[in-house]
Amino acid sequence: MFKKILIANRGDVALRVLRACQDMGIATVAVHSTADTDAMHVRLADESVCIGEAASAQSYLNIPALISAATITGAEAIHPGVGFLSENADFAGVVAAHGLTFIGPRIEHITAMGDKVEAKRTAAKAGLPLVPGSEGAIADLDEARKTADKIGYPVLIKAASGGGGRGMKVANSQDDLAEAFSSARSEAKAAFGDDTVYLERYLDNPRHIEIQVIADAHGNVAHLGERECSVQRRHQKLLEEAPSPALTPKERAEIGKIAAEATRAMGYLGLGTMEFLYEDGGFFFIEMNTRLQVEHPITEAITGIDLVVEQINIASGAPLSFTQDEVRFNGHAIECRINAEHPTSFLPTPGTVKDFHAPGGPGVRVDSFLYSGYRIPSDYDSLIAKIIVHGDTRAHCLARLTRALDETIITPMPTSLDLHRLLVRDADIASGAYSIRWLEENFLPNQQND
Ligand code: MV4
């Protein structure tokens, strides 16, 4: 096992990894920008290294500074956390080239899943069900037309280098196709420097359901159930729950088995998440994330498995601490993401926190780096806290979540807490009757949707 790990991240995920290391008796190295000198992850780590200026490009994305920090502190492994360099195959390669261990999947899988065309090819080969669409990239308008005629309108043009919703265009009929094709291409070129696009049948209002998978270097593979992530606005998830209120036990067992078998077929290593669109009882693979996810705590809550500890174990060559047969799904969990943002404009509201009071009691977990007097920098994303609640049933979980949200105090800046307080009292949330358009259409009807 590693003696010392460097955590190449900040915020709640840096604390999350730090806590796993502490539970395992592993020493920690925090890195921070000049804007994060007073950050909680720096205070709680055994050692810390300043790696650059506030701008992420000069600090949390600064590969030479991160490698230097690991080398001078004698860290043996680097955990990339979430975001930043967590899905950067070049970084994983540089880490390995310096004799350090990247706590994450193999480079080939990070590379394959980063290219959405290659991701679909890999997924299809591994037996995952796909949205009907082009076999690979679409070369020109003529090919787009032929493919669209074959699969039927409406169709969606997507960027191979995209993901997270950027560079997508819908064509409702052949009349729209030329415009959608060329604007998707030029947007992709501008956003990613790559105008490779592909085509899929457009699903009108699916749910977003993802499956957590995990594999070690000894041939042990497991799925840890699904997370329902449909409550989102502009591709920012607000609330996630496990299990999904939409699935029957039979559907859950089937898609879990398919995902685990695909994980094995790929020769995948470590923690991964397969994202599916779910509509009319069918699952359609769209993307795979080759990292820990922000919403991982709800899976931890219903399985009792520490996903970060497992990641570290796997990276050190140890086997999974459980087998698929030993995984038990227990009760229901919901995560609310609390952002420092304006309730209607959704613009960030950085500044100094006056009062912070976290909720507590049975079934409540808070992953946050806030403290009273902490100054939230304006340089990073606005996620400031995650409130994760577990209950015996979905209704029990919602009751506990309602009380947990009502206990929470964050002043003086506006946050998304008030929106969550309304959401937990909403009839559609109570019944689980929502899909990916629900929040924008029914809850924020005055917002500009994209
Ligand atoms: C789709 C889709 C409908 N049909 N693909 C958006 C982000 C990217 N990960 C994939 N996305 C979508 N792909 C087909 N063929 C609708 C979306 C989509 C979406 C997906 C998951 C969660 C939220 C979403 C919000 C808008 C659109």
Side-chain angles (χ1 to χ4, degrees), residues 204-373:
D204 182 50
N205 194 15
R207 302 179 77 116
H208 176 193
I209 298 178
E210 59 188 30
I211 310 286
Q212 180 73 64
V213 295
I214 189 165
D216 66 20
H218 306 273
N220 303 303
V221 175
H223 77 84
L224 299 175
E226 82 279 11
R227 292 185 289 260
E228 161 77 64
C229 305
S230 299
V231 180
Q232 58 84 41
R233 181 194 166 276
R234 296 199 174 179
H235 309 292
Q236 295 295 316
K237 296 166 185 166
L238 263 87
L239 174 157
E240 305 96 347
E241 57 180 315
S244 166
L247 298 191
T248 64
K250 186 162 170 278
E251 287 176 301
R252 174 168 305 116
E254 280 174 6
I255 193 64
K257 188 157 179 274
I258 290 169
E261 280 169 7
T263 304
R264 184 183 300 284
M266 285 177 202
Y268 192 81
L269 178 73
L271 203 58
T273 297
M274 294 172 177
E275 292 190 357
F276 295 88
L277 300 179
Y278 174 80
E279 194 173 78
D280 301 329
F283 280 95
F284 306 95
F285 171 89
I286 48 170
E287 291 174 26
M288 181 169 182
N289 302 317
T290 55
R291 54 166 159 77
L292 184 71
Q293 301 226 171
V294 172
E295 59 271 27
H296 77 277
I298 56 175
T299 300
E300 296 186 322
I302 64 162
T303 62
I305 294 168
D306 186 317
L307 293 179
V308 182
V309 168
E310 296 299 328
Q311 276 190 303
I312 295 169
N313 274 331
I314 293 166
S316 77
L320 293 183
S321 72
F322 58 88
T323 64
Q324 183 74 72
D325 288 346
E326 289 166 354
V327 176
R328 292 280 172 276
F329 298 105
N330 170 32
H332 198 94
I334 300 180
E335 172 180 276
C336 290
R337 297 191 187 193
I338 312 299
N339 290 306
E341 66 188 15
H342 191 271
T344 55
S345 72
F346 293 91
L347 290 171
T349 55
T352 300
V353 176
K354 185 167 170 286
D355 300 310
F356 172 57
H357 177 75
V364 178
R365 163 177 171 182
V366 179
D367 280 16
S368 176
F369 52 104
L370 290 192
Y371 56 86
S372 295

Side-chain angles (χ1 to χ4, degrees), residues 51-62 65:
I51 49 165
E53 299 293 313
S56 301
Q58 288 170 48
S59 47
Y60 299 104
L61 297 173
N62 183 342

